Amino acid sequence: MDKLAGLFGSRDPMFDKPYIDVDEWRDQPVRHRYVHGGFEGTETRFSFYFPPPERYEGRFFHMLLPVTGIETAAINPPAATTLVDPLPFAVESGAYLVESNQGRTVMFPGEDTTVTGYRASAAVAMYSRVLAAEMYGVHRPYGYCYGGSGGAYKTFACLENCPGVWDGGVPFVHGAPMTMPSSFTVQAHAIRVLRDKFPNIVDALEPGGSGDMYHGLNTEERQALAEVTRMGFPPRAWYAWERIALAYTGILSMFMDNLIRWDPDYFKDFWTVPGYLGHNPPESLLCARVQHKTKLAKVLKAKELGDLGLMVSMPARLADLGGEMPAAVQLEKMPEWNLQGSSMTLTSGAATGHVLYVSGAFGDLVMVGFGEAHFREVTKVKAGDEVVIDNGPYLAVQTYHRHQVPSPDFYVWDQFKVAGQPIYPQRPVLLGPLFARYAMGSVQTGRFAGKMIVVQCLMDEAAFPWHADWYRSRVQEALGSRLDDHYRLYFIDNAMHTGPRPIPGEQPQVTSTRIIDYSGAVRQALRDLSAWVEKGLTPPASTVYEVVDGQVIVPPAAAERRGIQPVVTVRANGGVRAEVAVGEPVEFTAIVEVPPGAGTVVSAEWDFEGTGEYPVKERFDDTNSSYTRVTLRTTHAFSKPGTYFPALRVASHRRGNFKDRFCRIYNLGRVRVVVN
């Protein structure tokens, strides 16, 4: 044991005393040896999942969650950007699985963010090798870390700060050092200004639409839409604006405490200093102002809210697994205004002086989130407590990004410059890098050990697509001509930050006929990464793209686009829009192409009526793995008048495996059919 610890154990003195409190064989979801433990004197906890020796091929996958505090996600994934079934996938890939709580028993990282960013994860990864060598024989297992969103930040931190611990990694849907809070503030500003105009914006961008998303907007609305688009928000994602508003207002609440702590004067300057929107506010800003006093009639925990089928904010869902955190409140008097984003300050009771943030409302229930400064005390909130609701800080923060112009490599901020100088007053410090350090314990540099494959989504509403281009440029600076020897970037079209799972109250077809599940691309990237490192097998070329005014643009044809995702082109009666009578057959044609070296088509399914269920399946010969380009033809007649958006969803697989459920890479195509 001592010899193995010397070879593979932690070199960080903080993590020199590992312990194990659970060591047992389990049969679900697959046969594995489960080991749980931690390091004495720390909050770090880990879970290892070792397959039987006959299924082990000498590697491990290390899953990094977006937030700290959880080391059992392999069985019960807690977050939308955590891939489901990580354990069966690891075992089928010849790997054991590693996860930890990343050094904390709560979701907030605490004072030393190097621990939660990478040090605890490195210690856990290295100790896993000790146990693997004991179980399978003395060897050094190859190691690969991966994570999405906040987990992507941690993947970068691990690879950039801990050479030799992992052999590579797959960050997916990742941000950049200026992502927080700017991506969320510009998004919130657009939602406030454009709330009533999204139906027209979405319709213009749908297949067969006008293509002019600015039509019918006034000056303020046009400016808000142009601003958020140039900042990188993908316009096609606005179909989900209500989901986005609810989800990311809750996430923004996690940042508000630090934003107020790091730049408290901003919230006064916004309303009083020339150059800030609040100093000379437009009518829409004045009309949005909320100040309201009331009492809490009821406090609901996360489980109670979930039992009602309602969406729970990320902080309320993850801050305390014991279930004591408030997730929603009922007010004695519900105001008529839009409360989203408001600060709810307790003015009586045991939590006096502490703050909840409103993430959204359903009926008379107000969903809440909170930040690190208040999360321990808000457990004391009770019915009868008095509150003051004020959305002034939320309105102010919506344009914070204008006052955070960074270095020129963050090119989406060029819209806020004239002759190279900022047109708005600038804050004394850039908060983006501070938030990055808060999330990952460091700031991305592009200098990493090993190999890396990045998966980024072209409709990502939170980690905008250009963030991956920013990081690729840093890697290019570090590696020069060796870039392709160590790095790949795959853009996935028709995919958002989270998968196509509907939120409470949302119809399935709202998501499943517009976006696809990108998890297969991430898993294929992990398999490609291990083959690249261990066998020298070169993965497919990176996606070809360009960035135009903050938007990532890819070529329309698979051969030019490259990457690993199939490309789908669908037509109805020969066009992207068809107008027919009730009962009149519509001829649908489609061409599906897989990029060079990326595999073959293994499935294609149609959803004509918008049910979200894709009931019409195309037949394929599962003994034939040569479907690199497929042409499809079919007809369908609609029995009722209306506007329909038929969709074709396809999947490819690297080896043409029709049965592998993990590495199917999806895409879809859509058209518009107007039935009179």
Side-chain angles (χ1 to χ4, degrees), residues 122-402:
V124 167
M126 295 174 74
Y127 183 59
S128 81
R129 287 193 171 102
V130 174
L131 300 186
E134 290 178 343
M135 180 172 176
Y136 303 115
V138 176
H139 70 298
R140 180 194 178 278
Y142 291 98
Y144 309 99
C145 54
Y146 70 99
S149 193
Y153 276 122
K154 294 175 176 66
T155 302
F156 287 124
C158 287
L159 295 178
E160 291 188 353
N161 293 284
C162 306
V165 177
W166 296 272
D167 299 285
V170 177
F172 58 98
V173 294
H174 77 74
M178 286 299 296
T179 297
M180 299 178 291
S182 295
S183 289
F184 305 105
T185 61
V186 71
Q187 180 191 95
H189 175 68
I191 288 172
R192 176 181 66 78
V193 175
L194 297 166
R195 180 178 298 268
D196 297 331
K197 299 300 177 69
F198 283 122
N200 291 337
I201 293 170
V202 171
D203 185 73
L205 297 174
E206 292 276 40
S210 69
D212 182 6
M213 64 180 182
Y214 294 97
H215 179 73
L217 303 184
N218 63 31
T219 300
E220 181 187 24
E221 292 162 347
R222 292 175 68 89
Q223 290 174 345
L225 183 55
E227 179 175 341
V228 71
T229 304
R230 290 171 181 156
M231 282 290 285
F233 185 96
R236 287 182 294 158
W238 283 128
Y239 86 88
W241 75 269
E242 291 176 298
R243 169 204 290 245
I244 291 168
L246 183 60
Y248 294 105
T249 305
I251 292 175
L252 183 57
S253 73
M254 295 164 53
F255 303 143
M256 282 294 289
D257 288 353
N258 279 339
L259 205 155
I260 292 170
R261 176 162 64 99
W262 292 335
D263 193 0
D265 292 340
Y266 172 78
F267 297 91
K268 177 185 68 176
D269 293 349
F270 176 82
W271 300 101
T272 59
V273 175
Y276 294 87
L277 186 66
H279 177 258
N280 185 23
E283 185 67 20
S284 68
L285 186 67
L286 293 175
C287 292
R289 192 78 163 91
V290 174
Q291 291 176 304
H292 181 70
K293 293 182 179 180
T294 187
K295 290 183 178 181
L296 303 183
K298 189 176 183 180
V299 179
L300 290 81
K301 312 297 185 183
K303 185 179 185 306
E304 295 175 282
L305 202 59
D307 290 344
L308 293 173
L310 298 178
M311 188 173 177
V312 181
S313 71
M314 179 179 282
R317 187 171 72 250
L318 300 180
D320 177 20
L321 297 183
E324 294 303 311
M325 308 305 300
V329 297
Q330 189 178 60
L331 304 178
E332 281 193 357
K333 184 179 180 182
M334 187 76 171
E336 297 179 359
W337 308 296
N338 181 5
L339 300 182
Q340 198 155 46
S342 297
S343 304
M344 187 181 297
T345 305
L346 279 296
T347 56
S348 73
T352 296
H354 292 282
V355 180
L356 296 167
Y357 298 99
V358 178
S359 62
F362 280 103
D364 61 350
L365 290 180
V366 175
M367 271 56 72
V368 298
F370 34 80
E372 187 169 13
H374 301 282
F375 84 102
R376 296 188 187 277
E377 296 300 318
V378 295
T379 59
K380 301 174 183 177
V381 171
K382 305 291 184 188
D385 289 351
E386 297 176 342
V387 296
V388 172
I389 300 172
D390 185 357
N391 70 347
Y394 180 61
L395 296 178
V397 83
Q398 290 176 7
T399 48
Y400 193 79
H401 52 277
R402 296 178 180 176

Side-chain angles (χ1 to χ4, degrees), residues 25 62 64 69 75 85 119 238 391 393 462 487 577 589 658:
W25 281 92
H62 191 160
L64 300 172
I75 306 301
D85 295 331
R119 288 172 57 197
W238 283 128
N391 70 347
Y487 178 86
R577 177 187 179 115
T589 57
F658 286 80

Side-chain angles (χ1 to χ4, degrees), residues 239 243 459 494-496 498-501 510-517 614 649 668:
Y239 86 88
R243 169 204 290 245
M459 286 178 62
N494 296 304
M496 295 175 67
T498 57
R501 293 185 290 273
V510 171
T511 54
S512 62
T513 61
R514 280 184 169 88
I515 61 172
I516 52 95
D517 182 350
Y614 291 92
R649 183 172 63 189
L668 57 78

Side-chain angles (χ1 to χ4, degrees), residues 45-47 62-63 70-71 98-103 121 124:
R45 308 289 183 266
F46 55 72
S47 289
H62 191 160
M63 180 170 62
I70 304 165
E71 77 276 10
V98 174
E99 65 169 328
S100 80
N101 67 356
Q102 301 171 95
S121 294
V124 167

Side-chain angles (χ1 to χ4, degrees), residues 458 491 493 541-545 554-563 565-568 595 667:
L458 287 177
F491 279 109
D493 199 9
S542 294
T543 305
V544 174
Y545 68 93
V554 295
E560 288 74 36
R561 186 181 302 188
R562 301 190 180 183
Q565 186 187 29
V567 175
V568 186
N667 203 350

